[in-house]
């Protein structure tokens, strides 16, 4: 056994790396404010610690998807500007207005709910108008934009709202040269121009996500909204690796081997016997599975560093565990099995797991479940030196 017992599985979150990534990304967009996007529990890294670390590194804004996320940040003492953009009818508009959250609206009906909340609490709501410039998800279509802008200006004249921002989101910024990028940017210029000619005076105009922040300086406007890049993961292998941009992955996922045993040739491994041992070997049991967010689609392919060597998930990844073929090596029970990390110790990265599972690295880090404890290191800004 190892001298110090390791947790079954853990996700180590290096907040010094996150702060460094924020500073690096800010340097890519000089003159633009920085919104740290911490939706989906900080892309699996922990929303509150990551928000606080980003603010320590100079972020001026924090962005969330759901209002519950925004309100949880306020409850945890996160001050400054917080923006939230995914609303449904009956959402906690009133609570958001009371908490000074900037709320995004894409339709007149949502604006009406914000106005009603502002009246109820006798406060001016901070509102950002989202334009659909071609992504086709949320956002106001160009033909509906004049009505939304007009209603927002009427509410602003009554002192019920303040339009703090005009914004949109790219569909293909992670695909260099994709024609939709120029088309969306042109549409954004037109929709912002219309709103400003009508009398909107936004504090910020923004459209740049992680890939746009890194590669499209003409999209930076007044604010950039890095998400995945802040966590040291490249938004797309096509535009570059984290190292290419001076970024460092923040999350390392590792487990303690639960069992090591010898097995004869022809021994079936895991459900369905999709893997049988090609010869006499040793098998190591990694006590983590799809119940922890390890993708089942990576069965037979997911890489793990054990005892200084890359191993591969042998057979099916189960709910709580999977097996690696150790090729005759006999590490101790309790030895560390590193699923992914920055890669500088030779371990796989989240991108390696994404390739093994046929998905994107965003999903690999975000899906790591609540059963996996987050262990925060370098929490104090002074540890960056």
């Amino acid at each position: 056994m190892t001298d110090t017992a390791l947790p079954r599985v853990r996700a180590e979150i290096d907040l010094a790396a996150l702060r460094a990534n924020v500073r690096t990304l800010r340097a890519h967009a000089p003159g633009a404010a920085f919104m740290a996007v911490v939706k989906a529990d900080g892309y699996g890294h922990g929303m509150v610690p990551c928000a606080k670390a980003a603010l320590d590194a100079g972020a001026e804004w924090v962005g969330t998807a759901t209002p519950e996320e925004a309100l949880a940040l306020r409850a945890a003492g996160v001050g400054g500007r917080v923006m939230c953009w995914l609303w449904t009818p009956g959402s906690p508009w009133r609570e958001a207005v009371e908490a000074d959250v900037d709320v995004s609206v894409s339709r007149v009906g949502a604006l009406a709910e914000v106005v009603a909340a502002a009246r109820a609490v006798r406060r001016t709501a901070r509102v950002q108008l989202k334009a659909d410039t071609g992504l086709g998800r949320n956002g106001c279509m160009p033909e509906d934009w004049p009505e939304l802008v007009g209603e927002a200006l009427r509410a602003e004249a009554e002192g019920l709202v303040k339009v703090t921002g005009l914004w949109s989101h790219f569909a293909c910024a992670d695909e260099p040269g994709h024609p939709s990028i120029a088309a969306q940017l042109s549409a954004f210029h037109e929709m912002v121009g219309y709103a400003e000619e009508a009398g909107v005076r936004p504090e910020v105009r923004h459209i740049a996500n992680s890939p746009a922040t890194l590669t499209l300086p003409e999209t930076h406007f007044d604010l950039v909204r890095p998400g995945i890049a802040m966590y040291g993961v490249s938004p797309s292998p096509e535009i570059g690796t984290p190292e290419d941009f001076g970024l460092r992955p923040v999350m390392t996922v590792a487990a303690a081997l639960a069992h090591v045993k010898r097995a004869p040739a022809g021994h079936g491994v895991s459900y369905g016997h999709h893997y049988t041992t090609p010869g006499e070997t040793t098998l190591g049991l990694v006590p983590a599975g799809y119940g922890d967010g390890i993708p089942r689609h990576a069965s037979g392919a997911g890489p793990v560093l054990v005892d200084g060597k890359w191993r591969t998930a042998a057979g099916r990844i189960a709910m709580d565990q999977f097996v690696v073929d150790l090729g005759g090596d006999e590490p101790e029970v309790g030895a560390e099995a590193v699923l992914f990390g920055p890669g500088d110790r030779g371990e796989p990265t989240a991108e390696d797991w994404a390739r093994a599972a046929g998905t994107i690295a965003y999903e690999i880090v975000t899906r790591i479940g609540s059963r996996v404890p987050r262990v925060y290191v370098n929490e104090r800004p002074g540890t960056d030196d």
Side-chain angles (χ1 to χ4, degrees):
M1 294 291 292
T2 56
D3 293 334
T4 303
L6 293 169
R8 173 185 68 88
V9 61
R10 69 194 186 281
E12 183 178 283
I13 310 301
D14 185 351
L15 294 178
L18 187 143
R19 290 189 295 269
N21 292 340
V22 170
R23 290 191 290 269
T24 297
L25 289 162
R26 285 176 61 85
H28 278 275
F34 188 99
M35 179 184 289
V37 180
V38 297
K39 63 180 181 173
D41 196 28
Y43 289 62
H45 295 68
M47 178 176 70
V48 171
C50 290
K52 291 181 176 179
L55 291 168
D56 285 340
E60 295 92 349
W61 292 70
V62 177
T64 71
T66 71
E68 290 77 15
E69 291 170 334
L71 294 172
L73 287 173
R74 289 300 197 221
V78 174
R81 302 301 290 273
V82 174
M83 180 182 169
C84 170
W85 49 77
L86 191 58
W87 296 85
T88 53
S91 288
W93 300 100
R94 177 171 177 161
E95 292 87 340
V97 173
E98 288 179 314
D100 287 329
V101 171
D102 282 56
V103 301
S104 173
V105 298
S106 301
R107 56 189 180 84
V108 170
L111 180 62
E113 290 196 71
V114 179
V115 168
R119 281 200 177 98
V121 300
R122 299 177 182 273
R123 297 186 70 160
T124 301
R126 292 206 291 257
V127 172
Q128 300 212 14
L129 306 182
K130 185 176 185 184
D132 185 348
T133 56
L135 178 59
R137 297 191 319 194
N138 213 349
C140 182
M141 296 295 283
E143 57 267 29
D144 299 321
W145 188 244
E147 182 185 13
L148 181 62
V149 168
E151 291 298 319
L153 286 169
R154 278 187 279 277
E156 192 169 66
E158 293 183 52
L160 295 167
V161 308
K162 172 70 177 85
V163 180
T164 59
L166 301 169
W167 73 293
S168 190
H169 195 57
F170 280 117
C172 304
D174 56 349
E175 299 180 42
H178 195 284
S180 69
I181 297 171
Q184 282 197 256
L185 188 56
S186 176
F188 188 58
H189 275 291
E190 289 181 13
M191 295 175 80
V192 167
Y194 175 89
E196 292 183 336
E197 286 178 16
V200 175
R201 297 292 178 264
E203 296 174 31
V204 288
R205 303 158 299 162
H206 50 108
I207 191 172
N209 53 4
S210 285
T213 300
L214 290 167
T215 66
L216 298 168
E218 68 273 21
T219 70
H220 292 169
F221 290 92
D222 307 306
L223 178 147
V224 294
R225 303 188 311 268
I228 195 67
M230 188 174 77
Y231 305 98
V233 176
S234 173
S236 171
E238 286 74 25
I239 69 168
T241 66
E243 293 79 12
D244 291 334
F245 298 113
L247 303 172
R248 179 176 174 79
V250 172
M251 179 188 290
T252 297
V253 173
L257 289 181
H259 194 30
V260 176
K261 63 186 179 185
R262 298 203 66 81
H267 195 76
V269 176
S270 197
Y271 294 125
H273 282 184
H274 292 276
Y275 181 84
T276 56
T277 54
E280 184 179 349
T281 189
T282 44
L283 301 175
L285 185 65
V286 180
Y290 62 78
D292 303 291
I294 309 305
R296 187 174 182 271
H297 277 76
S299 294
V304 184
L305 184 74
V306 181
D307 212 21
K309 296 180 183 178
W310 269 42
R311 324 287 181 164
T312 301
R316 289 247 180 99
I317 293 173
M319 183 180 292
D320 311 301
Q321 55 199 286
F322 66 94
V323 176
V324 292
D325 190 332
L326 297 169
D329 294 340
E330 297 189 28
E332 293 184 336
V333 172
E336 185 179 58
V338 183
L339 280 71
F340 62 83
D344 49 12
R345 293 186 295 155
E347 77 274 18
T349 65
E351 185 59 46
D352 293 317
W353 272 87
R355 283 194 291 269
T359 185
I360 56 175
Y362 294 68
E363 184 178 356
I364 298 302
V365 294
T366 303
R367 71 186 297 162
I368 298 300
S370 59
R371 197 166 72 164
V372 179
R374 272 59 172 174
V375 179
Y376 294 94
V377 299
N378 300 322
E379 293 186 79
R380 296 168 58 106
T383 58
D384 298 359
D385 299 329

